[in-house]
Amino acid sequence: MFSLVLAGCGGGDGEPGGTVASDPPRQSTTASSPTAGLVPTSEAAEQPTSAPVDEAVVIEVVVADGAVTPAGERISVDRGGAVALVVTSDVAGEFHVHSSPESYEGFAAGTNAPIELQFDRPGLIEIELHEPFEGPVVELEVS
């Protein structure tokens, strides 16, 4: 297991690309568009797709008592493969997904429907907790 301490939200051009699919709808915004899950992320105009959760890399995220688990682990995922964040939290909150385009994925208190993600380009994708406090969650190594 690798640990990574993230120094904050840099964001910017050149970040690896990804798509965000939601079913059922959740609070979700991007830095540049309110339709993060519907915006193509490569030069090709393709619609995002999502694999069923049972075919995804499932990452269970627990937010409780002012702490988040995992807290900065690096996880390898296949380019184009599905990633599902399954969040259980004692308070509502929001993740920042450092991909291109960036996205913010909200979640409610309790156990949430999976947040489904898919990344089309290789690279490192940082996912941080922004609310109710800031901290690293995972770093996805997309290859």
Side-chain angles (χ1 to χ4, degrees):
M1 171 187 350
F2 297 98
S3 291
L4 174 71
V5 176
L6 302 175
C9 295
D13 293 342
E15 290 188 359
T19 59
V20 180
S22 60
D23 183 21
R26 300 178 313 282
Q27 298 172 348
S28 178
T29 61
T30 67
S32 61
S33 169
T35 57
L38 304 176
V39 176
T41 58
S42 66
E43 287 70 35
E46 57 186 63
Q47 291 298 315
T49 59
S50 64
V53 173
D54 60 350
E55 295 178 19
V57 173
V58 177
I59 302 170
E60 295 196 12
V61 179
V62 177
V63 179
D65 300 322
V68 62
T69 304
E73 287 182 40
R74 181 176 290 185
I75 299 172
S76 295
V77 298
D78 291 332
R79 185 175 73 179
V83 175
L85 299 178
V86 179
V87 182
T88 303
S89 180
D90 57 0
V91 294
E94 180 179 70
F95 294 116
H96 181 191
V97 181
H98 287 267
S99 63
S100 179
E102 294 182 305
S103 69
Y104 294 86
E105 300 297 319
F107 56 88
T111 301
N112 291 262
I115 297 170
E116 296 182 28
L117 307 168
Q118 185 175 23
F119 303 99
D120 303 319
R121 293 184 297 212
L124 295 175
I125 307 287
E126 298 169 349
I127 300 177
E128 303 170 331
L129 185 65
H130 271 213
E131 295 292 332
F133 55 89
E134 292 193 16
V137 179
V138 295
E139 182 178 75
L140 301 176
E141 185 173 9
V142 181
S143 58

